[in-house]
Structure formats: C-alpha cells, structure tokens
Amino acid sequence: MALLLCFVLLCGVVDFARSLSITTPEEMIEKAKGETAYLPCKFTLSPEDQGPLDIEWLISPADNQKVDQVIILYSGDKIYDDYYPDLKGRVHFTSNDLKSGDASINVTNLQLSDIGTYQCKVKKAPGVANKKIHLVVLGARCYVDGSEEIGSDFKIKCEPKEGSLPLQYEWQKLSDSQKMPTSWLAEMTSSVISVKNASSEYSGTYSCTVRNRVGSDQCLLRLNVVPPSNKAGLIAGAIIGTLLALALIGLIIFCCRKKRREEKYEKEVHHDIREDVPPPKSRTSTARSYIGSNHSSLGSMSPSNMEGYSKTQYNQVPSEDFERTPQSPTLPPAKVAAPNLSRMGAIPVMIPAQSKDGSIV
C-alpha cells in the first residue's frame, strides 16, 4: 500500500514538472531614463500542452490609479503592440520565433512613466503560467522651494523620481561665469542647496546630475533672482480698482433707473392728456349758434316782453366755448344795424355783428 502511494506521488511530481512553466525568476530591474530595458520571460512546454500559444504582457503603473493594461500580445501567430499608447512603438519581442520558448521584450527610450510592475503571461491549453518583473527608471527633478527675491532665503532641490541607493549628486552652473557661489561649495554634492540672503548674482542656469549603479540622469534649473515686489502697492491698487469698478457699476444702474422713471412718467402724462381732456369745440360754430339764437329771440319779441331784454346778456356764453379775440387793426369791424322794430312797437336794440374771422363785435 505504501509502495502504491509513493508511485502515485512520483507520477504527480513528474506530471507537474512537465507542465507549462516560466523559468525566469521574479526580479527588479533598474535603468536610467532614456535607456533600453530588457524584461526576460522564458518558458517551457509539456507534451500535454496542445492548444494555441498565447503570450501577453501587462503593466501595472506605479501610481496605482490605473488598472492593468495590455502592452503587447501574441495570439494566432500574430503580434499586436498598439494596446498601450504610452509605450506604442517602444515595446518589442526580442525573439522572432516565440514558439521556441522566449517571450522576452525590450522597452526602449525609457521614461519616468514606464515605472511599474510588468507581468508576463503564457498560455497553451491546458497549461498557464505568469511571472512579474518590477521596472525602476532613474529620473531627477529640479525645482526652487521658496521665493526667488533679493535678500530672501530659499532652497534649490534635486530629487530623483526612482532609483536604488546609493545616489550621488553633482551641481554645476551652466551660464554666465560658470562659477558656483562660494557659500554653496559645501553643498555641491547634496540634493538640496540652501540659499541665504539671495542676490542677483545667483541668477543663471544650473544642472543637477544624479547617479547610481545603473546609470545617471540630469535635470536643469533656471534661477532668476529679482527685486522684492511691492506687495503693499499691489494690495492698494487692487482695492482702489475694485472700488472704482463698484462705483462705475452703481452709476450705470442709477442712470438706467432714472431713465426708466422718466420714460414711465412721460407715458403716464401722455395717457392722461389723451383720455381725461376732451377736444375743444369749434369757436365759429359756437358763436354762430349763439347769434342765431339771439336773432330768433328778438324776432319773436313784442313791446310787452322787450322790457327784460334792454341789455344783451353776453355773460351767458361759456368761457370755454367762446372767447373774444382782439380786433384786427387792418380790418375794421362791420356794423350791423338793428332791424326796424318801430312797426312792431318795440324799442330798437343793437345786435352784435360777426366779423369774417368769426369774432363777435
């Protein structure tokens, strides 16, 4: 029984050893920016692996904000290398015959964005295997920490993006006299240079070179030390400008409101004139009707009823319907004689005459 169990276990180990496997161990590869990184992935197949061969490389970016992305794929005897835009044209298989067991790739012109974990997956049914490789790209970044003003204190820094220790730094001045300030000499091989009481002489272009055992990288820094800004003047100018803008806006609003009030008032007055005041009556027609009524009254008078009409009642004509107009100096008024009432036994009375322009004389 024990012998049979050992035989079964031995057969399982043999079958396991003969299944698809990747012989390349997991490792970390360090390269400098701009170089080419070789990512190995060698595998072996077993006789039982009879399915089609599929090879897939994926990347997990270092920022962990993106999901795994396919960067190159071999399937159906064809290569597809346009899946990942950041590496398009920079990733290739190193072998022309992938069925020989070599799925290694090269990543050319390394950039800082290439940093991440790469995974090689090989599948030939029923066998499947995968391995991971960590890629580190050495890169440096230069910047100023502080205000670049005369008399101020600030720091210029050179920091690597990635890279294994030990790291070495070297600062150089590339412009003007190409001589570093004397106070900086003690920090020429440091990642940070402290600047005290800055002067305009410090202005210029500087370079920082970072090195480790796998390579080097360089960054440039433009330093421009300027006179201190008049912050009080800037603040006062901003306040005055804001107040002027508010005053202008208020003036515009006031003028608009005033104009609207005037237009509204004119419309109301015009409306009252048209609806409340009736049109004036014709003076000529009023005067003629009045004279006609007097003639008719006089014609029917008798000596008995003329006593109350010894004086003409001119005040009975309404002032709004009848107005006396000044006599024309060139046209003397025509006098109209009173009718002969002697036959009727009545007292003669003067009747107002009417001039050509319609006025009563």
Side-chain angles (χ1 to χ4, degrees), residues 55-76:
I55 301 173
E56 186 179 57
W57 276 90
L58 302 94
I59 180 175
S60 300
D63 55 11
N64 294 323
Q65 296 181 358
K66 299 179 181 179
V67 298
D68 293 354
Q69 299 283 333
V70 177
I71 60 175
I72 192 169
L73 173 67
Y74 173 83
S75 180

Side-chain angles (χ1 to χ4, degrees), residues 36 53 211 226 242 244 269 299 319 338:
T36 298
L53 179 63
R211 295 186 177 89
V226 297
T242 303
L244 290 177
V269 171
S319 60

Side-chain angles (χ1 to χ4, degrees), residues 71-88:
I71 60 175
I72 192 169
L73 173 67
Y74 173 83
S75 180
D77 296 331
K78 292 184 179 180
I79 298 175
Y80 305 91
D81 58 358
D82 57 352
Y83 284 94
Y84 192 60
D86 292 348
L87 285 172
K88 186 175 181 179

